[in-house]
Amino acid sequence: MRGEISVNDQPTERLRKPAPQLADYPHRVAEIVRFGDLDPQGHVNQAVFLTYFESGRVAMFRNTDLGIGVPGATFVMVRMEVNYMKELHWPGTIEVGTGVAEFGRTSFKVEQAIFRDGVCAATGRATLVCIDLVTRKARPLPEDAIARLSQWKYRGA
């Protein structure tokens, strides 16, 4: 069945990766599914998944152990990819797992996943770039920031 095409025109072998596990994500935060998160179909709207991912990233970056702050710089998101795997419904709680996946010269990538009752509902991958606060241009990631971020390395495949 190799090369078979799925309903969304993606080769099926790309869809057969092992399911993400919450243990792969070194940072986790709990969120409440709110009634206002629902769309007319009665499940959580796809845009709200981005808010859940944001909560996970912000909680990790604001963690006092991480201390991600870089004097004279900030981090901005330049890309976000999401794979929706399961519907989420109200009421309930979820866990957002977050881990740093890789480093570039001026950027780093964050792997994330949303879990409900241990089942992965979505995965996300964000690319963040370090920019100078004055010039608003990308600047190299400082080595000490890379060292601090490396403590939160994603442990999945």
Side-chain angles (χ1 to χ4, degrees):
M1 301 256 181
R2 194 162 167 78
E4 184 178 312
I5 302 298
S6 69
V7 293
N8 65 359
D9 294 330
Q10 299 295 314
T12 54
E13 56 266 8
R14 287 179 50 188
L15 300 176
R16 289 191 182 133
K17 295 189 325 186
Q21 302 297 310
L22 187 56
D24 293 337
Y25 301 88
H27 189 273
R28 296 172 205 127
V29 65
E31 279 285 316
I32 296 170
V33 176
R34 292 166 287 282
F35 180 77
D37 295 345
L38 304 181
D39 63 16
Q41 287 80 29
H43 58 237
V44 172
N45 182 279
Q46 76 274 3
V48 176
F49 282 66
L50 297 171
T51 301
Y52 297 155
F53 285 133
E54 178 184 51
S55 293
R57 285 190 312 277
V58 169
M60 189 178 93
F61 296 148
R62 299 289 182 208
N63 184 310
T64 55
D65 293 338
L66 180 57
I68 189 58
V70 174
T74 191
F75 296 96
V76 296
M77 185 187 319
V78 297
R79 182 173 177 84
M80 182 72 197
E81 301 171 46
V82 178
N83 295 310
Y84 300 96
M85 301 156 81
K86 301 274 184 198
E87 294 180 303
L88 291 174
H89 295 92
W90 174 84
T93 58
I94 59 167
E95 284 188 89
V96 181
T98 305
V100 177
E102 63 184 79
F103 297 99
R105 189 178 71 78
T106 62
S107 66
F108 63 96
K109 293 183 180 175
V110 175
E111 288 285 341
Q112 295 186 276
I114 297 169
F115 295 87
R116 179 157 188 181
D117 299 325
V119 177
C120 185
T123 60
R125 185 173 180 95
T127 302
L128 294 106
V129 173
C130 182
I131 66 165
D132 187 278
L133 286 173
V134 175
T135 66
R136 304 304 287 178
K137 295 192 186 294
R139 67 182 254 192
L141 285 171
E143 288 299 322
D144 62 326
I146 292 171
R148 289 191 309 269
L149 285 164
S150 293
Q151 299 173 43
W152 298 94
K153 201 76 167 142
Y154 171 67
R155 297 185 284 261

